[in-house]
Amino acid sequence: MPGTLPGFLGVAAFGGIKFVGYSLAVSGLKKFEPGITSSATKVAVVRTGLGFILGPLATISLGFLVGLIFSVLFGPSSPSNSDSALLYLYPLLFVVRILVWALVLFLFTRKAPLRPSSLWLFAVLGAVVSSLLDWPGYALAIAAPGQVTFC
């Protein structure tokens, strides 16, 4: 079954949406949390970079894991396996995003550590922002010219 992947412009559009969204989110967070002394741009660069490095790896790994679990539980020939498995993939990615945001916040608040409850609250809020930014980012990525076709 042929498919397409975003080309360079699509990847750049997706990354740009994420970077701008993260910059705005961290700018707002800095008003509530003075322990974040780095610029919002610097935090957004690190978070966007981690997303580009870990995002595809986490998506493929978790997709494989969920597909494997569904194959074991419901059999490989069940036509609804892939659709049902996708319903579980995004919540798992949300958990990964919480962990990545916790890491980023930890790295940028080492000199003035956050209380654990604040760290995890901000990490969850960051994961929500990341998830919401997927919609416009994905829309721009698939609309951008230069898609790569594969079989």
Side-chain angles (χ1 to χ4, degrees):
M1 171 188 312
T4 60
L5 290 172
F8 175 76
L9 289 176
V11 171
F14 185 84
I17 289 287
K18 291 286 195 162
F19 173 75
V20 169
Y22 294 158
S23 295
L24 293 171
V26 173
S27 292
L29 177 60
K30 286 179 66 152
K31 293 177 183 176
F32 294 102
E33 186 51 57
I36 301 173
T37 57
S38 296
S39 72
T41 303
K42 188 175 182 180
V43 177
V45 164
V46 170
R47 178 58 187 93
T48 304
L50 284 173
F52 269 98
I53 293 167
L54 298 176
L57 179 63
T59 302
I60 291 168
S61 299
L62 290 173
F64 176 76
L65 180 65
V66 168
L68 183 65
I69 290 169
F70 267 72
S71 291
V72 168
L73 292 176
F74 303 110
S77 62
S78 175
S80 64
N81 275 354
S82 60
D83 295 336
S84 299
L86 286 176
L87 293 174
Y88 292 94
L89 180 61
Y90 209 75
L92 290 173
L93 287 174
F94 186 79
V95 171
V96 170
R97 286 177 170 167
I98 292 171
L99 297 174
V100 172
W101 270 108
L103 173 65
V104 169
L105 292 170
F106 172 77
L107 291 174
F108 284 100
T109 59
R110 282 188 293 178
K111 292 180 184 173
L114 293 172
R115 292 186 333 264
S117 61
S118 294
L119 175 77
W120 291 108
L121 172 64
F122 296 149
V124 168
L125 292 174
V128 168
V129 168
S130 295
S131 298
L132 291 174
L133 290 172
D134 281 347
W135 293 347
Y138 179 73
L140 282 177
I142 63 171
Q147 292 185 352
V148 178
T149 304
F150 64 92
C151 295

